[in-house]
mmCIF file of all heavy atoms in Angstrom:
data_model
loop_
_atom_site.group_PDB
_atom_site.id
_atom_site.type_symbol
_atom_site.label_atom_id
_atom_site.label_comp_id
_atom_site.label_asym_id
_atom_site.label_seq_id
_atom_site.Cartn_x
_atom_site.Cartn_y
_atom_site.Cartn_z
ATOM 1 N N ILE A 257 -15.924 -2.802 -0.308
ATOM 2 C CA ILE A 257 -14.581 -2.399 0.123
ATOM 3 C C ILE A 257 -13.488 -2.727 -0.890
ATOM 4 O O ILE A 257 -12.354 -2.284 -0.738
ATOM 5 C CB ILE A 257 -14.237 -2.997 1.503
ATOM 6 C CG1 ILE A 257 -14.312 -4.519 1.491
ATOM 7 C CG2 ILE A 257 -15.140 -2.420 2.559
ATOM 8 C CD1 ILE A 257 -12.999 -5.197 1.408
ATOM 9 N N ASN A 258 -13.800 -3.471 -1.951
ATOM 10 C CA ASN A 258 -12.843 -3.616 -3.052
ATOM 11 C C ASN A 258 -13.599 -3.911 -4.345
ATOM 12 O O ASN A 258 -14.793 -4.213 -4.332
ATOM 13 C CB ASN A 258 -11.777 -4.683 -2.755
ATOM 14 C CG ASN A 258 -12.334 -6.082 -2.614
ATOM 15 O OD1 ASN A 258 -13.194 -6.509 -3.372
ATOM 16 N ND2 ASN A 258 -11.834 -6.819 -1.628
ATOM 17 N N ASP A 259 -12.890 -3.849 -5.448
ATOM 18 C CA ASP A 259 -13.530 -4.011 -6.753
ATOM 19 C C ASP A 259 -14.067 -5.419 -6.964
ATOM 20 O O ASP A 259 -15.137 -5.610 -7.556
ATOM 21 C CB ASP A 259 -12.538 -3.680 -7.869
ATOM 22 C CG ASP A 259 -12.314 -2.186 -8.037
ATOM 23 O OD1 ASP A 259 -12.958 -1.407 -7.300
ATOM 24 O OD2 ASP A 259 -11.496 -1.799 -8.891
ATOM 25 N N ALA A 260 -13.335 -6.437 -6.497
ATOM 26 C CA ALA A 260 -13.781 -7.821 -6.706
ATOM 27 C C ALA A 260 -15.116 -8.066 -6.019
ATOM 28 O O ALA A 260 -16.024 -8.696 -6.589
ATOM 29 C CB ALA A 260 -12.725 -8.794 -6.198
ATOM 30 N N ILE A 261 -15.267 -7.575 -4.798
ATOM 31 C CA ILE A 261 -16.544 -7.714 -4.091
ATOM 32 C C ILE A 261 -17.642 -6.961 -4.830
ATOM 33 O O ILE A 261 -18.769 -7.440 -4.968
ATOM 34 C CB ILE A 261 -16.405 -7.211 -2.636
ATOM 35 C CG1 ILE A 261 -15.592 -8.220 -1.827
ATOM 36 C CG2 ILE A 261 -17.770 -6.993 -1.983
ATOM 37 C CD1 ILE A 261 -15.341 -7.815 -0.381
ATOM 38 N N ALA A 262 -17.317 -5.778 -5.343
ATOM 39 C CA ALA A 262 -18.309 -4.985 -6.075
ATOM 40 C C ALA A 262 -18.794 -5.721 -7.323
ATOM 41 O O ALA A 262 -20.000 -5.746 -7.618
ATOM 42 C CB ALA A 262 -17.713 -3.629 -6.457
ATOM 43 N N LEU A 263 -17.881 -6.349 -8.056
ATOM 44 C CA LEU A 263 -18.276 -7.071 -9.267
ATOM 45 C C LEU A 263 -19.120 -8.295 -8.913
ATOM 46 O O LEU A 263 -20.068 -8.636 -9.628
ATOM 47 C CB LEU A 263 -17.037 -7.485 -10.062
ATOM 48 C CG LEU A 263 -16.150 -6.327 -10.550
ATOM 49 C CD1 LEU A 263 -14.969 -6.870 -11.348
ATOM 50 C CD2 LEU A 263 -16.948 -5.333 -11.375
ATOM 51 N N GLY A 264 -18.787 -8.957 -7.801
ATOM 52 C CA GLY A 264 -19.608 -10.072 -7.343
ATOM 53 C C GLY A 264 -21.007 -9.617 -6.969
ATOM 54 O O GLY A 264 -22.001 -10.312 -7.250
ATOM 55 N N ALA A 265 -21.125 -8.439 -6.343
ATOM 56 C CA ALA A 265 -22.432 -7.890 -5.976
ATOM 57 C C ALA A 265 -23.263 -7.584 -7.218
ATOM 58 O O ALA A 265 -24.473 -7.847 -7.257
ATOM 59 C CB ALA A 265 -22.251 -6.634 -5.137
ATOM 60 N N ILE A 266 -22.630 -7.043 -8.257
ATOM 61 C CA ILE A 266 -23.349 -6.732 -9.494
ATOM 62 C C ILE A 266 -23.906 -8.015 -10.121
ATOM 63 O O ILE A 266 -25.062 -8.059 -10.572
ATOM 64 C CB ILE A 266 -22.418 -5.997 -10.483
ATOM 65 C CG1 ILE A 266 -22.106 -4.591 -9.964
ATOM 66 C CG2 ILE A 266 -23.057 -5.915 -11.873
ATOM 67 C CD1 ILE A 266 -21.081 -3.838 -10.791
ATOM 68 N N CYS A 267 -23.089 -9.077 -10.142
ATOM 69 C CA CYS A 267 -23.553 -10.351 -10.715
ATOM 70 C C CYS A 267 -24.708 -10.940 -9.902
ATOM 71 O O CYS A 267 -25.685 -11.443 -10.465
ATOM 72 C CB CYS A 267 -22.394 -11.337 -10.774
ATOM 73 S SG CYS A 267 -21.254 -11.027 -12.132
ATOM 74 N N ALA A 268 -24.598 -10.879 -8.578
ATOM 75 C CA ALA A 268 -25.669 -11.407 -7.734
ATOM 76 C C ALA A 268 -26.951 -10.609 -7.936
ATOM 77 O O ALA A 268 -28.050 -11.174 -7.966
ATOM 78 C CB ALA A 268 -25.238 -11.365 -6.268
ATOM 79 N N ALA A 269 -26.829 -9.301 -8.094
ATOM 80 C CA ALA A 269 -28.010 -8.460 -8.322
ATOM 81 C C ALA A 269 -28.711 -8.859 -9.616
ATOM 82 O O ALA A 269 -29.952 -8.915 -9.686
ATOM 83 C CB ALA A 269 -27.602 -6.991 -8.367
ATOM 84 N N GLN A 270 -27.930 -9.162 -10.642
ATOM 85 C CA GLN A 270 -28.510 -9.577 -11.918
ATOM 86 C C GLN A 270 -29.279 -10.883 -11.781
ATOM 87 O O GLN A 270 -30.310 -11.086 -12.428
ATOM 88 C CB GLN A 270 -27.408 -9.703 -12.966
ATOM 89 C CG GLN A 270 -26.788 -8.366 -13.363
ATOM 90 C CD GLN A 270 -25.570 -8.524 -14.256
ATOM 91 O OE1 GLN A 270 -25.003 -9.610 -14.379
ATOM 92 N NE2 GLN A 270 -25.154 -7.422 -14.872
ATOM 93 N N ASP A 271 -28.801 -11.763 -10.894
ATOM 94 C CA ASP A 271 -29.516 -13.020 -10.653
ATOM 95 C C ASP A 271 -30.917 -12.771 -10.094
ATOM 96 O O ASP A 271 -31.823 -13.596 -10.280
ATOM 97 C CB ASP A 271 -28.730 -13.900 -9.675
ATOM 98 C CG ASP A 271 -27.432 -14.425 -10.276
ATOM 99 O OD1 ASP A 271 -27.316 -14.419 -11.519
ATOM 100 O OD2 ASP A 271 -26.539 -14.812 -9.503
ATOM 101 N N PHE A 272 -31.090 -11.652 -9.402
ATOM 102 C CA PHE A 272 -32.390 -11.291 -8.841
ATOM 103 C C PHE A 272 -33.150 -10.335 -9.760
ATOM 104 O O PHE A 272 -34.162 -9.751 -9.351
ATOM 105 C CB PHE A 272 -32.219 -10.648 -7.462
ATOM 106 C CG PHE A 272 -31.865 -11.627 -6.383
ATOM 107 C CD1 PHE A 272 -30.562 -11.710 -5.904
ATOM 108 C CD2 PHE A 272 -32.826 -12.477 -5.846
ATOM 109 C CE1 PHE A 272 -30.225 -12.611 -4.904
ATOM 110 C CE2 PHE A 272 -32.499 -13.382 -4.845
ATOM 111 C CZ PHE A 272 -31.197 -13.452 -4.374
ATOM 112 N N GLY A 273 -32.652 -10.140 -10.967
ATOM 113 C CA GLY A 273 -33.333 -9.271 -11.916
ATOM 114 C C GLY A 273 -33.106 -7.797 -11.679
ATOM 115 O O GLY A 273 -33.844 -6.959 -12.209
#
Side-chain angles (χ1 to χ4, degrees):
I257 58 102
N258 64 42
D259 284 358
I261 287 178
L263 299 181
I266 291 174
C267 283
Q270 292 172 345
D271 292 341
F272 286 104

